[in-house]
Amino acid sequence: MWFKNLQLYRLALPVNLTAESLHQALAKLAFSPSTSMDLQNQGWASPRDNDLLVHTVNGQMLIMLGTEKKLLPASVINQVCKAKATELEEQQGFKPGRKQMKDLKEQVTDELLPRAFSIRRNTWAWIDPLNGWLVVDAASPARADELLKPLLKVVNDVTLYSLRVAQLPASAMTSWLAADEAPAGFSIDQDTELRSAGEDKAAVRYVSHTIDPDDVRRHIAAGKQCTRLAMTWADRISFVLTESLAIKRVTALDVIKENSDSKMQNDEERFDSDFALMTGELNHMLGDLVAALGGEAPQQP
């Protein structure tokens, strides 16, 4: 199993957290199936569908937040409310007032909820207590916050920081493109975005297209900065770095897949092997990326 998107956070060392203590903390907000009257339900679920809320391989921890939400569009509620309001008007001889409409909307919602479809999504997080990483597999900080808020609500003995680096990613990526040279251990791929900081927000995007250094330099001279850059680390992992220090479209390349053990006999062994491989590779890659961005800056909670 490989994370596709990385929202990066730091844990203050030493991390006084064990799998057992984390499991006990998460159990306070364990996921339970929603009732017919719940619009949304959220809680910690077992990553491997067993009784454990923390899955551990080589000291690396994996946790999962489950979210179940009823599909009940506002348009459906409004449509039913409108029909019922018409019936009510015919019965009482005048249009329902504001309070009546509010009560009617609540009544309709209660009636429709038991028949609404439910969707389930899981958000994963990797905790590395040895090196102080907490990484959420989420495409946006807002989605990551959905996991971090309930986590910090039950875990009191850790200090969490947003990752800070000495050089802003946009400045670093722009300088790499201007010099036509990637930092040590990395190569620049064919996807990038340059965006103006001015009011016009003009942007140029290269998608699966060879990046011409002279063309890029002209855009940089015109005031644009690189906000997204596709890169490959050590010919092993490709990804897109963003100006907010998020890492997207993480893909393990063939050299990793070829070196992985394809003779695993069952799903449990294969899952653990993939998780160990992912955490080991990403640990090295993140270390090299932080170094390429000038190292870590002083942290703020």
Side-chain angles (χ1 to χ4, degrees):
M1 62 93 59
W2 277 77
F3 285 11
K4 298 299 182 184
N5 301 285
L6 311 180
Q7 299 291 333
L8 307 174
Y9 303 90
R10 276 311 222 168
L11 297 168
L13 295 173
V15 180
N16 298 315
L17 192 66
T18 65
E20 182 178 357
S21 64
L22 180 57
H23 169 87
Q24 293 174 352
L26 298 182
K28 300 173 186 176
L29 288 176
F31 181 85
S32 59
S34 61
T35 68
S36 61
M37 301 307 294
D38 291 331
L39 188 59
Q40 179 171 301
N41 188 37
Q42 195 172 66
W44 300 103
S46 171
R48 298 303 296 144
D49 198 22
N50 52 30
D51 294 331
L52 300 177
L53 298 178
V54 183
H55 187 71
T56 307
V57 179
N58 298 335
Q60 306 297 305
M61 302 179 188
L62 182 68
I63 60 176
M64 183 180 78
L65 182 73
T67 302
E68 188 177 66
K69 187 175 182 179
K70 293 286 183 64
L71 292 177
L72 187 55
S75 59
V76 174
I77 297 175
N78 292 336
Q79 182 179 355
V80 177
C81 277
K82 184 178 180 179
K84 288 185 175 292
T86 300
E87 294 177 3
L88 190 59
E89 181 180 354
E90 293 175 353
Q91 294 172 7
Q92 63 188 18
F94 56 88
K95 291 184 178 181
R98 181 177 299 178
K99 185 178 186 305
Q100 275 187 303
M101 288 301 298
K102 180 181 178 182
D103 293 342
L104 188 60
K105 187 173 184 178
E106 292 177 354
Q107 176 189 336
V108 168
T109 301
D110 290 343
E111 290 175 356
L112 294 178
L113 264 177
R115 290 179 283 166
F117 288 104
S118 297
I119 56 171
R120 168 77 182 268
R121 60 176 169 81
N122 299 318
T123 305
W124 303 77
W126 155 42
I127 299 174
D128 178 358
L130 306 177
N131 299 294
W133 286 110
L134 190 154
V135 179
V136 183
D137 186 2
S140 68
R143 180 60 60 85
D145 283 345
E146 287 185 13
L147 181 142
L148 295 177
K149 288 179 180 178
L151 177 64
L152 295 177
K153 186 175 182 180
V154 296
V155 178
N156 302 314
D157 51 354
V158 298
T159 303
L160 182 68
Y161 305 92
S162 294
L163 175 63
R164 293 167 57 88
V165 289
Q167 189 175 10
L168 292 176
S171 298
M173 292 187 293
T174 302
S175 66
W176 299 337
L177 286 176
D180 191 25
E181 184 176 358
F186 295 86
S187 59
I188 294 174
D189 297 336
Q190 294 186 329
D191 288 20
T192 189
E193 177 183 89
L194 295 125
R195 185 177 293 275
S196 172
E199 294 182 1
D200 59 352
K201 300 296 182 183
V204 175
R205 296 183 182 92
Y206 294 81
V207 180
S208 300
H209 191 284
T210 301
I211 300 172
D212 181 78
D214 292 334
D215 190 30
V216 166
R217 292 187 188 106
R218 283 193 294 271
H219 288 297
I220 294 173
K224 294 184 180 69
Q225 279 200 320
C226 182
T227 55
R228 294 169 62 92
L229 183 63
M231 306 178 71
T232 293
W233 170 75
D235 295 326
R236 301 175 72 81
I237 299 174
S238 67
F239 62 94
V240 174
L241 177 64
T242 74
E243 61 181 333
S244 63
L245 200 49
I247 300 176
K248 300 189 175 185
R249 288 168 37 190
V250 177
T251 304
L253 301 183
D254 290 341
V255 65
I256 290 182
K257 297 175 183 178
E258 291 169 359
N259 291 336
S260 64
D261 191 346
S262 60
K263 299 179 181 179
M264 292 295 170
Q265 297 300 310
N266 57 56
D267 290 341
E268 288 295 326
E269 291 177 336
R270 188 175 296 108
F271 186 93
D272 286 356
S273 176
D274 286 346
F275 182 56
L277 183 62
M278 180 191 79
T279 55
E281 294 289 338
L282 289 183
N283 245 317
H284 290 303
M285 187 192 84
L286 292 177
D288 287 351
L289 182 60
V290 169
L293 293 170
E296 290 194 53
Q299 299 289 354
Q300 296 179 359

